[in-house]
Amino acid sequence: MQNFNKNIFILLFVFFSLKVSAQNESFSYPVKIPVFLSANFCELRPNHFHGGIDIKTEQRIGVPMYAAMEGFIYRIVVSPGGYGNALYIEHPNGTSTVYAHLDRFRDDIQAYVKEEQYRQKSFAVDLSPNKELFKVAKEELIAFGGNSGSSGGPHLHFEIRDTPTQDALNPLAFFPDIRDNIAPRIYSVSIYPISENGHVNFATFPRKYQAVGKGNNYSLSQAPEVSVLGKIGIAVNANDFYDGSHNPCGIYSAELKVNGNLIFGFTFDRMPFSDTRYMNSHIDYSESVERGSRIHRMWRLPGNQLNIYRQDLTDGIFEVSDGEIKNVELILGDLAGNKSTVRFTLKGSFMDIRRPAIANSRFFPYDEENYIVTPELEFFAPKGAFYDDFYLRYDSLPKSTTTFSAIHKIHNDGTPVHDAVTIRIKTSGLPEQLISKAFIAKISESGNRSYVGGTYRNGWFTSETRSLGSFAVIADTIPPSINPLSIKNNTLTESSRIRFTINDNLSGIQSYEGKINGEWVLFEYDAKYRLLVYHFDSSRLTLGQRQKLELRVKDNAGNTSIYEANFWK
């Protein structure tokens, strides 16, 4: 019997060893430099989970990029924001890989893209080449790393997707040899009173406690025991780190135990892109808005549709009665198996809690349609717009000298909105000649105004938005600014390119178009730097003569600026 068990153990060991070996052989790294990560899968980002891993490129632009497996390029995207220059490769094993924030594609791919840009007369393109056009072998050169799109520095954003669903898969499951000997670091634990008569340390709002500890074991600083009552929720602020990198990354898994019983847990193995905005229900959204800190909620809101949670456990909320003791453990892990634990005790302590009523508020059930209708505002939230029931507060202020409507304060921007809500605002004192320049704007507490948009009909503006806050109708009559960087007094100051910065301080840039001698030319746009660049192309432009340049830039309110120059090239 012992020999039988030994043989079974050996077979299982060989099986799993071969499985890991096969995973290692399935994909090669998309770079041929040492691999260090600056971000990992499902790291918490604004309004979404990070869909892949970020591989450092030694702070350099131009590092060669290689296909991680044989396949064919099925999509090529060029965008002034987002992923910037990106390639998508489909592989025979049912997966696809994505390579984003590239500086440029290899020459034949770049030539194909440029032809399409000129054909469409657009810098931004989303192309679907025939699968026979760009077949690639494993480790074949495909592009060069960069900082395009919404990147904050040179790196490769790399994804592995399930081809049929396009769900993002955790790339680290396919690269188990990335060095990670560092357990997650726990910074703080927040404790929330969920029930109406509940409290945390005799307060009706959440309390945050700093985590302290040695090694992988933590406790709450100056709070060995916390007085609470009623239904309780827990949230944790933590990061993970990788060998050779100081960049904070996201955790892979978390578990919540109460009195030794596992009641809640999640892991980040897979993420449908259609679900990624539910990140706002996974975190304490108001904490992220007010303090910029994204913390993992260890309970599930009723409108949260994510599939990352253990289905055989509870929703994570537990109750502490008067005189009751609850020992709580949070266990956070990474994919390499490193774990950290924070332990603390909750003691039930009765206190007569009377929460004050919220003035000018109305109850909004998350699973129903909700409305506000006044003589000057109509607000509609579809079922699924919110993640939980709440009392929405609405106030209005008289129109100011810079608005053409009352200012409508619809709750606050600390409450997340999933599906878009509709806002209709009645105008007041809007001149006929400004209707085409007017729109709904969101007004921050500091007075900053941001473009929401809208269409005008019979004295009302209507628009959709995915945030709450203060809104009013305003007008933008100032055209965008155009600042030449390569032309002075009709003379080129750069020999190989023409550069401009463009900006609009209110409604934002909607479009631009550059022409030389009346013909459309390709100006590349980097939105984060507000930078336009045209590279002289002798195959499309006759050189050795005077050139007439015209650049038109239009904002979202329809204001247009025109820059013209005549220069020798």
Side-chain angles (χ1 to χ4, degrees):
M1 187 67 176
Q2 287 182 341
N3 288 335
F4 176 78
N5 289 337
K6 183 177 180 181
N7 290 336
I8 290 294
F9 174 79
I10 292 173
L11 287 172
L12 288 172
F13 176 79
V14 171
F15 170 77
F16 285 111
S17 297
L18 289 174
K19 184 178 180 181
V20 170
S21 176
Q23 286 181 339
N24 281 334
E25 293 173 1
S26 295
F27 290 96
S28 62
Y29 286 113
V31 296
K32 295 187 182 299
I33 57 175
V35 174
F36 297 103
L37 302 186
S38 58
N40 65 353
F41 184 68
C42 278
E43 192 173 301
L44 305 177
R45 297 291 179 88
N47 298 315
H48 71 285
F49 292 103
H50 191 235
I53 57 175
D54 288 349
I55 300 175
K56 294 186 176 186
T57 56
E58 301 175 338
Q59 299 181 338
R60 292 189 290 127
I61 289 176
V63 172
M65 300 290 151
Y66 303 91
M69 183 188 285
E70 66 176 295
F72 61 90
I73 296 172
Y74 70 93
R75 187 183 182 195
I76 308 170
V77 174
V78 176
S79 172
Y83 282 5
N85 300 326
L87 283 178
Y88 298 69
I89 301 177
E90 184 173 325
H91 306 293
N93 69 343
T95 66
S96 302
T97 49
V98 182
Y99 312 74
H101 304 309
L102 303 170
D103 180 62
R104 63 192 187 280
F105 311 114
R106 76 181 190 205
D107 289 349
D108 58 333
I109 301 172
Q110 191 72 41
Y112 165 79
V113 170
K114 193 171 185 178
E115 285 292 333
E116 286 297 312
Q117 289 173 314
Y118 269 89
R119 187 180 67 82
Q120 298 182 27
K121 295 184 178 180
S122 174
F123 165 66
V125 291
D126 190 341
L127 308 175
S128 301
N130 185 288
K131 67 179 183 179
E132 300 295 326
L133 189 58
F134 297 117
K135 289 186 174 181
V136 294
K138 185 176 182 179
E139 299 188 10
E140 182 177 342
L141 177 70
I142 55 173
F144 299 88
N147 187 35
S148 61
S150 300
S151 170
H155 72 280
L156 171 66
H157 174 85
F158 177 75
E159 296 177 8
I160 298 178
R161 298 184 180 183
D162 172 63
T163 298
T165 64
Q166 285 296 291
D167 290 355
L169 308 177
N170 193 334
L172 296 180
F174 300 89
F175 296 106
D177 56 336
I178 289 180
R179 290 186 297 130
D180 181 7
N181 296 293
I182 305 171
R185 295 177 188 170
I186 303 174
Y187 305 118
S188 65
V189 171
S190 295
I191 306 174
Y192 296 71
I194 304 298
S195 48
E196 284 293 318
N197 63 343
H199 72 79
V200 175
N201 200 17
F202 308 106
T204 58
F205 50 83
R207 294 279 198 175
K208 180 190 291 186
Y209 298 92
Q210 299 303 312
V212 295
K214 294 181 179 180
N216 302 342
N217 295 301
Y218 293 79
S219 60
L220 302 188
S221 175
Q222 300 178 343
E225 185 177 271
V226 180
S227 295
V228 300
L229 188 71
K231 293 181 178 179
I232 297 298
I234 305 294
V236 60
N237 184 9
N239 284 125
D240 194 26
F241 293 82
Y242 293 88
D243 295 14
S245 175
H246 297 291
N247 298 79
C249 295
I251 62 173
Y252 166 68
S253 66
E255 294 179 336
L256 171 63
K257 291 183 177 181
V258 178
N259 287 345
N261 298 313
L262 180 63
I263 69 166
F264 186 80
F266 64 82
T267 55
F268 290 124
D269 291 309
R270 184 186 189 108
M271 182 59 60
F273 283 91
S274 59
D275 288 353
T276 191
R277 191 176 175 87
Y278 282 110
M279 192 277 299
N280 290 334
S281 68
H282 176 77
I283 65 170
D284 180 343
Y285 185 80
S286 63
E287 174 79 6
S288 71
V289 170
E290 294 171 11
R291 299 177 182 85
S293 177
R294 301 185 189 101
I295 62 178
H296 295 271
R297 193 192 299 269
M298 295 301 294
W299 79 95
R300 186 175 184 173
L301 296 180
N304 180 347
Q305 300 298 312
L306 289 170
N307 290 318
I308 62 174
Y309 306 105
R310 286 274 301 269
Q311 299 300 310
D312 58 330
L313 302 176
T314 72
D315 63 3
I317 294 174
F318 58 96
E319 190 157 4
V320 184
S321 303
D322 184 36
E324 192 175 14
I325 297 293
K326 293 288 176 74
N327 296 307
V328 181
E329 291 179 81
L330 284 172
I331 304 102
L332 310 185
D334 59 32
L335 200 55
N338 305 298
K339 292 186 177 182
S340 294
T341 302
V342 57
R343 298 177 177 88
F344 53 95
T345 299
L346 303 180
K347 180 181 179 180
S349 302
F350 177 77
M351 179 181 180
D352 188 14
I353 298 293
R354 299 183 185 275
R355 299 195 183 195
I358 303 174
N360 301 325
S361 66
R362 60 202 72 193
F363 183 67
F364 269 30
Y366 83 95
D367 56 351
E368 296 180 13
E369 295 180 346
N370 292 282
Y371 304 85
I372 301 173
V373 179
T374 76
E376 295 182 310
L377 172 78
E378 294 180 5
F379 173 87
F380 168 69
K383 178 181 177 180
F386 305 113
Y387 302 121
D388 201 358
D389 301 339
F390 71 106
Y391 282 90
L392 181 139
R393 178 172 179 171
Y394 167 70
D395 294 292
S396 66
L397 300 175
K399 69 183 293 291
S400 71
T401 56
T402 59
T403 69
F404 295 101
S405 73
I407 300 172
H408 300 278
K409 302 182 70 173
I410 306 172
H411 207 61
N412 59 68
D413 56 8
T415 296
V417 178
H418 191 81
D419 294 331
V421 298
T422 301
I423 298 176
R424 296 189 70 228
I425 297 178
K426 186 177 182 180
T427 60
S428 174
L430 178 63
E432 184 77 21
Q433 67 271 21
L434 288 184
I435 291 176
S436 63
K437 307 294 184 184
F439 51 88
I440 296 175
K442 185 175 180 180
I443 304 174
S444 70
E445 290 187 5
S446 61
N448 291 328
R449 300 172 295 173
S450 57
Y451 178 82
V452 176
T455 57
Y456 178 83
R457 184 178 180 184
N458 298 330
W460 291 72
F461 267 95
T462 304
S463 186
E464 291 187 341
T465 181
R466 296 176 90 174
S467 67
L468 302 180
S470 297
F471 300 89
V473 174
I474 65 172
D476 178 6
T477 60
I478 301 174
S481 63
I482 301 175
N483 178 37
L485 303 178
S486 308
I487 301 175
K488 186 175 182 180
N489 299 325
N490 284 327
T491 301
L492 288 177
T493 59
E494 295 186 86
S495 61
S496 63
R497 62 185 182 178
I498 303 174
R499 295 184 301 139
F500 294 90
T501 55
I502 59 176
N503 190 33
D504 190 83
N505 290 326
L506 189 49
S507 62
I509 301 295
Q510 182 191 82
S511 63
Y512 69 90
E513 183 179 61
K515 291 183 178 181
I516 296 181
N517 303 327
E519 296 293 328
W520 186 90
V521 293
L522 176 61
F523 272 92
E524 301 170 5
Y525 183 39
D526 191 329
K528 63 179 175 290
Y529 297 128
R530 304 185 180 94
L531 181 66
L532 285 174
V533 181
Y534 166 71
H535 296 275
F536 285 107
D537 183 352
S538 59
S539 68
R540 290 180 170 85
L541 181 68
T542 302
L543 302 180
Q545 63 180 26
R546 295 207 68 82
Q547 315 286 350
K548 181 180 180 181
L549 168 68
E550 179 184 274
L551 176 64
R552 290 176 174 263
V553 182
K554 183 179 179 181
D555 67 20
N556 283 302
N559 303 297
T560 301
S561 292
I562 302 174
Y563 176 90
E564 295 180 324
N566 288 276
F567 57 87
W568 177 269
K569 178 63 179 178

